[in-house]
Amino acid sequence: MSDRILSCSAALAEALHEEMSRDETIFILGEDLTAHAGIFGQFKGLPENFPGRIIDTPISETAILGVGLGSALTGMRPFVDLHFSDFVTCCMDELANQTAKIRYMFGGQVNIPMVIWCPDGGGLRAAAQHSQSLEAWFIHTPGLKVVVPSEPADVKGLIKSAIRDDDPVMVFQHKKLFARQGAVPENDFTIPLGRAAIKLEGKDVTLLSYGSGFYLCEEAVKGLGHLNIDAEVVDLRTLKPLDMDTVARSIKKTHRAVIVHEACLTGGFGAELTARIQDELFDYLDAPVKRVAAKDVPIPFSPPLEDYVLPKVSDVVEAARAVTYR
Amino acid sequence: MSDRILSCSAALAEALHEEMSRDETIFILGEDLTAHAGIFGQFKGLPENFPGRIIDTPISETAILGVGLGSALTGMRPFVDLHFSDFVTCCMDELANQTAKIRYMFGGQVNIPMVIWCPDGGGLRAAAQHSQSLEAWFIHTPGLKVVVPSEPADVKGLIKSAIRDDDPVMVFQHKKLFARQGAVPENDFTIPLGRAAIKLEGKDVTLLSYGSGFYLCEEAVKGLGHLNIDAEVVDLRTLKPLDMDTVARSIKKTHRAVIVHEACLTGGFGAELTARIQDELFDYLDAPVKRVAAKDVPIPFSPPLEDYVLPKVSDVVEAARAVTYR
Amino acid sequence: MTNQDQDYISYYRTMVTIRKFETLAGELFAAARIPGFIHLSIGQEASAVGVCSCLRKDDYLTTTHRGHGHMIAKGADLKKMVAEIFGKKTGYCKGKGGSMHIADFSLGILGANGVVAGGLPIVTGAGVSIKMRKTDQVGVCFFGDGAANRGTVHEAMNMASIWKLPIVFVIENNHYASTTPQNYACSVNDIYSRSASYNIPGTAVDGNNFLKVREVTLKAVQRARKGEGPSVIENKTYRFRGHFEGDPQKYRTESEVDAWKNKNDPVKRFADYLARKKILTKELNQQIWHEVETELKKAVAFAEQSPYPEPQEALDDLFTIPSC
Amino acid sequence: MTNQDQDYISYYRTMVTIRKFETLAGELFAAARIPGFIHLSIGQEASAVGVCSCLRKDDYLTTTHRGHGHMIAKGADLKKMVAEIFGKKTGYCKGKGGSMHIADFSLGILGANGVVAGGLPIVTGAGVSIKMRKTDQVGVCFFGDGAANRGTVHEAMNMASIWKLPIVFVIENNHYASTTPQNYACSVNDIYSRSASYNIPGTAVDGNNFLKVREVTLKAVQRARKGEGPSVIENKTYRFRGHFEGDPQKYRTESEVDAWKNKNDPVKRFADYLARKKILTKELNQQIWHEVETELKKAVAFAEQSPYPEPQEALDDLFTIPSC
Ligand SMILES: Cc1ncc(C[n+]2csc(CCOP(=O)(O)OP(=O)(O)O)c2C)c(N)n1
Ligand SMILES: Cc1ncc(C[n+]2csc(CCOP(=O)(O)OP(=O)(O)O)c2C)c(N)n1
Ligand SMILES: [Mg+2]
Ligand SMILES: [Mg+2]
């Protein structure tokens, strides 16, 4: 079947449409969903097509997450919209102490087929409480899977996998990327969780990223080309489970790696990935693994400040230069 | 002045006693504090000596943290007891979106002199919701300082510094270590935040740890001695700010490092520290940095299961062997 | 005996089972045969059995750190419970949960919870699920007077109300939350009265009176089953033991505890009622206690003879597909 | 003019200032001169000024994402406000905060908040602090009908009650939380009535009637100042603009909005009252609007002429000692 150009937002809606048509236990839960098809219009078409299966809630994140969980424990497949990923702080107990632990704690008696969908990221001048990238907290929370798609096709394929997965999956989708366009297959395809994609091949340095970081890398490749540095771009797509095989294959070729993410540097996912790379691939590395990330402050409002804090294409170029010129 | 042998618990109470006598804006807030001087008896003597300044709350973690914050913004120096560090999930918004961000977000208008005291850790057969080590989440939350003392003298000196600090400081104290004894100076001393201690000198490998991990390293040193491996033990004590100078000095000597913590491996503080070490000290490393940590599951209840999940002395020995025999 | 008499005897037997189970658990804990810490519900048996006697097997239940009684009342297997509390492989959760984390999804028991008031959002979700699946199941949630002050209660009750969910919220007001008296921590005396804030009918009951608890719960469960929405019930009761086994209990006097024990023991009160009504003879009573004792001894023997899990089983059960 | 008349004129001027400020902000946003997104409080001026007119400079205030009016009513500097909304270095927060995160600690304004219902625990802490420092300050917290369903409200009100804290909780019920009508999301019509759950006196007011809001607030503030404890006030009001500028507003009809605008404009209602009482002449009214306009123009000019912060200033202000 042929590909069409869709936005990330439309890819999300299409994935949901296909899955909700297939399985009537799937429903969407969150604040302000029906009037405008989600506050970013991300569920276009769903309120009309699935009345009663896309449910507006009061502003009660704690209960929203808990309701998702309770419904998952009793036969439903909830897709919980957290409005802004920042508000995950308001249901952290339901997420980290309940959802993540219940299957294990109860000896595997029950499955929790639940998606927690979190619009995240900065660049929209939305300031400290509406711009975060919090995936690293959940990498460190056993019992959750973590998915961060970048391109529209990934959105569709990964959302469908996340919905079909019988475990809780957190999906972070960058708010600034909703409008990004890309080719998306028309058919009912899925992208398995835990499989990275080498999206651009190269031999001099491996750029490892996900979500908005992927686009920084994609752009950086051009700049690096001018410097005669041939970069390979790996889009991790799923952070847990992590596709270390693909990472290893690439680094065994390039011997150099730069990790790029929008979350702040200290304690970010880049730390974990660096730790694994230097442990598992020590003898293949010709340079330290470099991390490109946001600076360690909350996201400020003012444009020059926010631009300074968030990672830039030039940071990626710089880091790649540093490890290749070594 | 002379040292006495005190428990970690007594060192905490002594630090609070000294500071509360010095500054009457300091008060303690939390659940079940007055009847038994804290649920671990950790505030022995304080309810009698500071009536009205050690305040029992309803079970309302969200409000407890928020009340601490609101009082800190208006002239007080709260010391908030979170009962079990696991319940930080119930006030994550007040902590990560409010306490950590308010100073920055408001352009430095106000200070937040607040201690968030979290009894943490496993080994007590307290199962998944009462045994966690969550410091890594807060390392990744700009605006918070993070302290994890191990020995009684560190507890006293660091608690006093945390209380005097004008920024929010999270202190994690391991529940199983409350009874641990050690020499504690009698005088009014502080240990500055951000200063690690080389507690045992060695030349073959650097063992980097904090909290309960420190004791694993201390014990491992003996076993390593039998293997003719001379290990240096660095107790980081403060994770943010981090004393990279001491870490670097040690690794420049030993060329090998093992990081030990009780929190689960993936995304733990060991990841961040590894990433920094391999970046800043790449040419000094003769082996990859190894991490010893809990396995990536919630803490199970049954003794053989919990013992299997938590890191052991033999794991430290094994990791140190692996990096030194390379 | 009439059918009702037989039912009453069976409820009484369940109350005795809880009393004996908890007593035994306390003894085993004191003898250091149970790891960790445990919270006993002695004194609160009428609440557990009164409520659960109104439920079907496919109804849902969430409970608390003090949940043994609720589970037994909902029909849990004693062997698997004891084994779990011992940390054995044959326990409900293969030893992963322990006393504070037992569940039996085949009985609709969605789990005890180590987080106070953690069950309310979960049972609300079960309510949503019931409604979407269009069954006539009911969800019940037990929580304490201390739990009542957590924000989850507010959010869950508001949602249950606006969606008319088939839920019964049961407050077990035993007047203390750990060391903290209800009349210190809670801004109202009658916690059930807060249900007005959610346009939910609420009632307080003498929680040590089995028949009263059952009567009020029956109504609430019926209401829920008919799709008329949630209810709140406050069972006023008392815990005879400390908050946890080993609790020094400086926050209350012995005489206060004794007064409840001597004058307001729910098991004894129901026994007396049944005796007065000539349903329970002295012999039958003795027989019941004896049978329960025997059954529990078997459960303990089962647990003791069961193996501990193998250490590496700690890595199982996190995800449905182990490889992740 | 009597003193009271003068005060009334001054309150009216503040209401006009808010109206003009918000109108201007809307225009500047539409002209893409304000980054990010903004929430305007046009239509809610009587609530902001009615409440804040009862406060002293050293009283505390927490506000919300829709907080411009509250800040102005508490005395905030317009220049610094506009500059902050523009993201300029001369703004209240040096450009770090923006519209949703303005504070002025010198005026007791503990901050707007991007998290709905985030202010309640904070103001409760201010109440504890007031009590411990033994001053007669008061803390006021504005929050919306949507916010009322968050758990923080429950926890904060219960605590404020048991400790008799000097707090006034002000619900601004504008009948919508973003796209969600209050009568869908909230289990009761009169949100103030939930105060009974905390043994706190509560009242509903016509929130577009400045004098009524002021009257009720004065009582509550007095009560708090005397150490008699918290109060809850519900100002029934309406927002004339969308939730945020650019909101398609499919959740309500134009005629509903128009009805409020035409028949229930709080600024106009107070102007009419003052005119009826012969306190406000047509000339004075024109003069006030003119003066406010001039002042705001100056504020905008100030903001426009102010520099943006230097990029690396993004690293300042996190900790008291920058090195950390
Ligand atoms: C969120 C949370 N806060 C604190 C605790 C610690 N804790 C466990 S039980 C308990 C008291 C609970 O009191 P109540 O709800 O009245 O139940 P009861 O113990 O009386 O049955 C506390 C404070 C917890 N487990 N979870
Ligand atoms: C905890 C949280 N959940 C959701 C949001 C997104 N949000 C911002 S304002 C708003 C509506 C608030 O409604 P209300 O409290 O009635 O205030 P109003 O906007 O009407 O002034 C929502 C849902 C948020 N900022 N914080
Ligand atoms: Mg209780
Ligand atoms: Mg509103």
Side-chain angles (χ1 to χ4, degrees), chain D residues 290-311:
Chain D
H290 182 75
E291 284 169 7
V292 166
E293 171 130 28
T294 309
E295 197 189 351
L296 281 168
K297 272 196 184 144
K298 274 193 210 149
V300 173
F302 169 81
E304 289 198 314
Q305 283 152 25
S306 292
Y308 281 104
E310 291 300 316

Side-chain angles (χ1 to χ4, degrees), chain B residues 7-9 11-13 15 79 115-121 133 135 145-163 169-180 184 189-197 199 209-216 234-241 260-262:
Chain B
S7 67
C8 283
S9 189
L12 167 70
F79 184 99
V115 176
I116 300 106
W117 185 80
C118 307
D120 75 344
S133 299
E135 65 279 3
K145 298 178 180 175
V146 179
V147 173
V148 194
S150 58
E151 296 185 287
D154 301 311
V155 170
K156 181 173 173 189
L158 288 165
I159 288 282
K160 285 170 70 92
S161 286
I163 290 174
V169 181
M170 300 197 67
V171 180
F172 293 91
Q173 234 186 296
H174 198 291
K175 300 191 288 288
K176 224 181 153 176
L177 298 179
F178 284 136
R180 274 274 178 165
V184 180
F189 74 103
T190 60
I191 296 173
L193 304 192
R195 204 164 304 162
K199 291 203 171 164
S209 70
Y210 54 90
S212 61
F214 164 72
Y215 292 98
L216 295 181
V234 178
D235 186 344
L236 297 168
R237 303 196 294 199
T238 305
L239 307 188
K240 207 172 190 177
V260 182
H261 57 59
E262 192 181 307

